[in-house]
Amino acid sequence: MSTPARHIAVVDLECSCSDTNNGDDTVRRADMETIEIGAVMLRRHDFEPVDEFERFVYPVVHHELTDFCKELTSITQHNVDAAPRFPEVYWRFTEWLAHWQCAQWGSWGNFDAYQLELDAKRHGIQHELSNLPAHVNVKKFWAQQWQMKRVGLGRAVQTAGLEFEGRAHRGIDDARMIGKLLPGVGWPRIPQGAPIRPGFED
């Protein structure tokens, strides 16, 4: 019988991009790649953070970040040039989840879940997070609790009476702020004995 896991992870990705709203299609949606994985591990009973994960990722489709992307995220070309490719970072990320016996994970919207799946397929590796219980769309859950229809992370932080700490559109800073929103709304119930994603074998 598995032991109920005591932790949940809030995940936020930053990706290669271009200013499509102004007609720049340098990086199309299908070609967007994760360039940062930021995550905060929280105790599921009180949402206190116990650890963090942050890694940059080297993009293989569009090696050069657009000026728009660098300005939006504050991630530099040097950050990604010095980083490993997605399979190594993803392996370390899932190892980190397994170390904390993470029971469930969520993000602000469904974009991050979709993007991780897209990157895993691009690199021909197994999407390990699919072994965890269903991804939680924290944005949707938070909006339902506050009876709001459309809400970005910045507006949610203001609505909750908090100050945004760090830099918006940086994975680790966004993940921290999402974690700070949870005490006010909770988290969808995780069944007792929820399966724990098995770790990698050496």
Side-chain angles (χ1 to χ4, degrees):
M1 179 180 295
S2 61
T3 302
R6 297 184 176 89
H7 299 101
I8 53 179
V10 172
V11 180
D12 192 86
L13 308 181
E14 299 306 326
C15 297
S16 57
C17 58
S18 55
D19 191 2
T20 55
N21 289 334
N22 287 313
D24 182 1
D25 61 353
T26 303
V27 182
R28 298 179 182 274
R29 176 65 190 95
D31 292 334
M32 290 175 67
E33 300 172 83
T34 298
I35 57 174
E36 181 195 7
I37 298 179
V40 178
M41 191 66 64
L42 307 170
R43 294 193 307 231
R44 76 185 234 190
H45 69 278
D46 62 3
F47 305 111
E48 279 296 309
V50 296
D51 199 13
E52 295 183 346
F53 180 96
E54 182 191 17
R55 297 288 191 283
F56 294 116
V57 183
Y58 178 76
V60 298
V61 178
H62 294 281
H63 309 302
E64 296 291 326
L65 301 181
T66 64
D67 290 339
F68 172 80
C69 183
K70 289 184 284 189
E71 182 177 350
L72 177 70
T73 66
S74 78
I75 296 173
T76 68
Q77 189 64 45
H78 174 74
N79 290 149
V80 297
D81 284 346
R85 296 189 179 196
F86 180 81
E88 179 179 342
V89 178
Y90 190 60
W91 174 75
R92 294 190 179 280
F93 176 52
T94 53
E95 250 197 348
W96 177 75
L97 293 172
H99 170 77
W100 283 103
Q101 297 186 327
C102 180
Q104 200 164 21
W105 73 288
S107 59
W108 194 258
N110 287 321
F111 173 87
D112 306 82
Y114 173 81
Q115 184 64 43
L116 285 175
E117 182 177 356
L118 182 66
D119 282 314
K121 288 181 179 178
R122 176 180 288 121
H123 290 273
I125 60 176
Q126 182 180 353
H127 184 35
E128 296 287 350
L129 271 65
S130 63
N131 292 327
L132 286 175
H135 164 264
V136 170
N137 182 338
V138 179
K139 177 180 180 178
K140 180 178 179 180
F141 182 68
W142 194 91
Q144 288 173 344
Q145 297 295 309
W146 281 77
Q147 298 182 341
M148 300 173 72
K149 289 187 177 180
R150 296 173 63 104
V151 57
L153 180 57
R155 184 182 172 201
V157 169
Q158 291 180 340
T159 301
L162 301 174
E163 293 285 338
F164 199 103
E165 300 174 10
R167 169 71 184 255
H169 302 295
R170 275 299 300 273
I172 189 61
D173 291 333
D174 285 353
R176 289 168 181 158
M177 293 312 303
I178 296 167
K180 289 180 182 294
L181 292 173
L182 290 175
V185 297
W187 186 272
R189 181 177 177 273
I190 302 173
Q192 291 296 308
I196 299 170
R197 193 202 68 78
F200 289 91
E201 295 182 359
D202 294 331

